Structures are given as structure tokens and as C-alpha cells.
Amino acid sequence: MIPAEFDYVAASSLEDALRLLGEHGDEAKLLAGGHSLIPLMKFRLAAPSVLVDISRLPELRTLRPSDGHLRLGAGLRIRDLELSPVVREQVPLLAAAAASVGDRQVRARATVGGTVVHGDPAADIPAVLVTLDATLVLRGPAGERELSAAEFFVDFWETACGLDEVLVEIVVPALPGRRWAFEKFRQRSQDWATVGVAVQETADGEHAVGLVNMAPVPWRASPVEDALRSGAAVPEAAGHAAEGAAPPSDLRGDSAYRAHLAQVLTAKALTTAGAGS
Amino acid sequence: MRHDVTLRVNGVVNRHTVESRQLLVHHLRETLGLTGTHVGCDTSNCGACTVLLDGVAVKSCTVFTVAADGGEVLTVEGLAQDGQLTPVQEGFRQCHGLQCGYCTPGMVVSATGLLLDRPDPSPEEIREGLEGNLCRCTGYQMIVESVRWAADHGGPGAVAEAHRSRTEAGTP
Ligand SMILES: Cc1cc2nc3c(=O)[nH]c(=O)nc-3n(C[C@H](O)[C@H](O)[C@H](O)COP(=O)(O)OP(=O)(O)OC[C@H]3O[C@@H](n4cnc5c(N)ncnc54)[C@H](O)[C@@H]3O)c2cc1C
Ligand code: FES
Ligand code: FES
């Protein structure tokens, strides 16, 4: 399968990428790892007339600790998050979710910025960012703006990133030594999650819970968190996992099955992360 | 919509004019005649098209040639030197790691990339490390044994190690 014709420009800097987006408007698309965009173009579900390649900009490939947080450049490959000693020590939940994405070859190309802006609710890292209350830093013609992960994910494959904006950084809290768990249920090892659950013990000792593939957006299971806060034991709290969610039905399972899986996996993850103990 | 692209493929520097939309696997097979790299699924699932690009295994059906400009590619043809197989290739021979052979170039290159990252993988780590490569024939057991054989007999091989050391596959 061959994509429709387009022109390709390798942006020479972030400023250059923004200028090219401004010049070409909605004809243009950013190209990062290409592992969502290229398949879409091969199936001719997407046919941008200009691709602006940002995958080799050094300014998007930074990883900096700052003030109790880690600032991750959007151009870091998922492999970088999986293997980085700093991410593994400071935000092990994120490293574990990264290691579960696709396969080694996919992780070697796909970027953290690409998986976030693609906005697929079946993707693993977005649910972790919602769980961690991450901040997303966008750069556009009018300068920089910051959004919380909760504000950023709008709908199925839709985010708050404007057509003229570039996601530059993802800011996550450093939580070394805090407990966490990531459960991903899939039929074959390289599959996307039928359902996934991320649990993170926060700095004040509470537990945040996020779900993969349980709604049109990466889902924060607040009813579970509320139940724990009011003293519920793990099995009871996990029973609230699907509350308010809207799990899809597809070949891998219908929505009732997903709701059941979410409860089972949430109980497992909460136990691993030391909730209710 | 055409671009001049310079690639170092199996040690040889090539300069070609390519269409933006050309995929790296087609460049390797059709322009350079390196048909060892196969197209299986064409949808980034099967790994038959795996090559090392700048030190890491990637699926060349999901990389535009132009986006690899200036890079270095190692395909299955670049592994053996003067008829001397690499440990991974020899492992597949010794342990019967193939039947029809369709997946084999991708498997061999993917296993080479795995051993560059993890010189001494357990059988589980080999299975996980090769999850991006599908084989319809073998049931995988002998592929795992082949890769383990390679780990015990010299690892990824000198060509792949030299390829990796010229790149920045390290982590930030
Ligand atoms: C075989 C296979 C298996 C996979 N399995 C999984 C899985 O198990 N779990 C999972 O989570 N994902 C999985 N993925 C998806 C993979 O993680 C994607 O590659 C990733 O979601 C997209 O990242 P990318 O860098 O390749 O983005 P691209 O494909 O380059 O871009 C995706 C979109 O984001 C935009 N974009 C990219 N970067 C930016 C930026 N910095 N600012 C603004 N817009 C930007 C692009 O314009 C495009 O619209 C799989 C993919 C494949 C091919
Ligand atoms: S042909 Fe590239 S992954 Fe199957
Ligand atoms: S040997 Fe036939 S597909 Fe693997």
C-alpha cells in the first residue's frame, strides 16, 4: 500500500515547524514516529499534502528533572521512556506502560508526543498521563500554553492540540519509591489493551486510578478513588471502576465484558500498589 | 515532491532521488535490489521488513525513505562477511530456526537488535523481544533456541556492533 502523494519537509527547528504549519494550514501534518500516521496514510484514511517532520529535532528530545517533576520532550521515542534510568526510577509507572506499547520495533520509532496527540483511548501512555495529572505544554503562533491531561483529551482521536500547535513537553511528577501498578489485558502479547489499568500512589499517599480503552478518552476512575478515600476496602472500591465510563464493544469484547475486566484488573492493580493496606 | 536522499546501506553510501511517499522497504528492495528484506503484512504488524536503522530494529514498511536521509541501514544482506555467517545466522542454522524462511530475514535482524540491547537474554526475554515478528511455521520454540545459541556463541556479531557504535541509539 502506497500513501497518496504529499510533500515532505524536515523542520530545521521548532520555530521552523511552527512557521510551516502556519504556511500550510490544515493541509499540513506533523510527522513524528509515523506509527499511527503512516498506516493511516497507507490505508488512505489520511491524505495530508505536506508532512512536516519533527522527529529529529534535538529540542524535542530532552529529558530534564525540574522541581520535583520530570519534563519529557515530546520527541522522545517510547523506547527512550522504557529504557531511561531516570524515568524508571522517578516515574516507574510511565516506564512500565511504555514497555508494554506494541513491540520493540514500534517503540523504537513511536514518540511520546505522537501517542498523546493521536488521542487514541486504547493507547497506554495517555491513560498514565491522566493518572499522574500530567501537564502538557503546547507551542503555537501565540506562544506557549499549558493544559492538564484531563483538559487535553477531548474525544475519540481528538485532543485540544490546535492544527497550528506543536506539543513540546510533557511534565510528570517525580514519585520515586511510591507504589504503582500497570495491568494490561490482551489476547496476544503484542496486542493493544482490551482494557488497561494504571494505579499510582500519590505524594500524599492516596491512589490515583486511570483506565485504558474504557471510554472515548483515557479515563480517570474517580469513583474508585472516592471510595478508597472514604475507607472502602479494595474489592469494594474496585467495584466502582466502570462507573461513568463508556467502554466500547468490538471483536475483543463487548462493553459489559470490558466493565467486568476493569473491575478485576483494578482490584489487582490496587492490591499491587498497596491501596487499603 | 522528489528529494535527494543519502543513505549508508550495509556500509555502502548511496545517493538517490526518491518520492516523498516511498517507503524504506521499497527503496531497499526495488531501487537497491536488496530483496532479503521482505514485505509480509504491509501494516507494521509482522516484522518481516525489519532492518536496523541507526542502530535499532525498525519496521521498514513504516518509515519513509526520505525521513531516514543521512542515516545508516543494516539489512540481512549486510550481516555475513565473506561467507562467514554471524552468530545469529549460524544459530538459526544450528537450531533449525526456520521452515519456509519468509519471516527469517526479519527474525534474524530483529534478534540481532535484541542482542545489541540485551546480550544475555532469558528465553522469556527472547520471546518478548521478538514479539514484533510473526512466524507462521515454526511455533517459535526453535527460534528462541537459535537466539539463545547466538547469545552463547558471540552475540549480535561484529558488523552489527560496529553499526550500533556509529549511532546514537543510547538513551537520554
Ligand atoms: C503494530 C503497532 C502496535 C501498536 N501497539 C500499541 C499499543 O499496544 N499501545 C499503544 O499505546 N500504542 C500502540 N501503537 C501506537 C504507537 O504507539 C503509535 O506510534 C503512537 O501512538 C504514535 O506515535 P508516533 O510518534 O508514531 O506519531 P505519528 O504517527 O508520527 O503521529 C500521530 C499524530 O500525532 C501528531 N503529532 C505527532 N507528534 C506531535 C507533536 N509533538 N505535536 C503535535 N502533534 C503531533 C501527528 O501529526 C499525527 O496526527 C501501536 C502501533 C503499531 C504500528
Ligand atoms: S511488512 Fe512491515 S511489519 Fe509486516
Ligand atoms: S519460517 Fe515460515 S514464516 Fe517463519
Side-chain angles (χ1 to χ4, degrees), chain B residues 103-126:
Chain B
C103 70
T104 311
M107 281 289 179
V108 165
V109 174
S110 200
T112 301
L114 173 65
L115 291 175
L116 285 172
D117 283 348
R118 260 179 209 278
D120 190 24
S122 67
E124 283 65 35
E125 287 169 334
I126 295 171

Side-chain angles (χ1 to χ4, degrees), chain B residues 102-169:
Chain B
Y102 200 85
C103 70
T104 311
M107 281 289 179
V108 165
V109 174
S110 200
T112 301
L114 173 65
L115 291 175
L116 285 172
D117 283 348
R118 260 179 209 278
D120 190 24
S122 67
E124 283 65 35
E125 287 169 334
I126 295 171
R127 282 175 190 279
E128 255 174 45
L130 296 180
E131 70 186 338
N133 293 75
L134 303 182
C135 174
R136 300 184 307 170
C137 304
T138 61
Y140 301 102
Q141 182 58 32
M142 280 137 116
I143 290 177
V144 175
E145 286 163 16
S146 305
V147 178
R148 208 31 260 177
W149 191 97
D152 290 333
H153 292 82
V159 175
E161 274 164 2
H163 167 88
R164 163 67 64 93
S165 71
R166 280 193 298 275
T167 65
E168 293 174 68

Side-chain angles (χ1 to χ4, degrees), chain A residues 51-138:
Chain A
L51 282 191
V52 177
D53 189 350
I54 53 168
S55 68
R56 292 201 271 181
L57 292 180
E59 61 254 59
L60 291 182
R61 299 197 23 86
T62 54
L63 197 167
R64 300 181 284 137
S66 117
D67 196 18
H69 289 74
L70 269 192
R71 304 183 73 91
L72 308 165
L76 291 172
R77 311 277 183 190
I78 292 178
R79 170 189 162 93
D80 296 330
L81 302 192
E82 172 191 2
L83 299 180
S84 154
V86 180
V87 178
R88 288 163 73 129
E89 193 214 283
Q90 309 273 324
V91 205
L93 169 62
L94 183 59
S100 85
V101 169
D103 55 54
R104 293 177 79 253
Q105 293 99 311
V106 168
R107 298 194 292 274
R109 292 299 289 176
T111 64
V112 58
T115 189
V116 169
V117 177
H118 190 58
D120 190 330
D124 303 295
I125 289 175
V128 167
L129 298 184
V130 166
T131 308
L132 292 172
D133 288 320
T135 301
L136 303 167
V137 184
L138 297 165

Side-chain angles (χ1 to χ4, degrees), chain A residues 144-226:
Chain A
E144 223 164 70
R145 61 180 182 129
E146 296 192 351
L147 292 176
S148 70
E151 296 165 308
F152 184 82
F153 296 103
V154 175
D155 205 344
F156 185 79
W157 283 17
E158 190 185 333
T159 72
C161 183
L163 288 174
D164 54 358
E165 287 183 306
V166 179
L167 174 66
V168 290
E169 261 185 340
I170 295 150
V171 188
V172 290
L175 294 161
R178 292 284 164 179
R179 295 178 72 173
W180 59 276
F182 187 69
E183 291 287 338
K184 180 171 179 177
F185 188 88
R186 44 190 168 175
Q187 287 166 353
R188 301 170 304 174
S189 72
Q190 83 279 25
D191 277 342
W192 293 69
T194 305
V195 171
V197 178
V199 172
Q200 176 68 54
E201 183 193 357
T202 62
D204 36 20
E206 298 197 330
H207 285 82
V209 183
L211 304 179
V212 181
N213 214 1
M214 280 293 289
V217 290
W219 191 251
R220 184 77 179 257
S222 327
V224 177
E225 300 173 12
D226 294 341

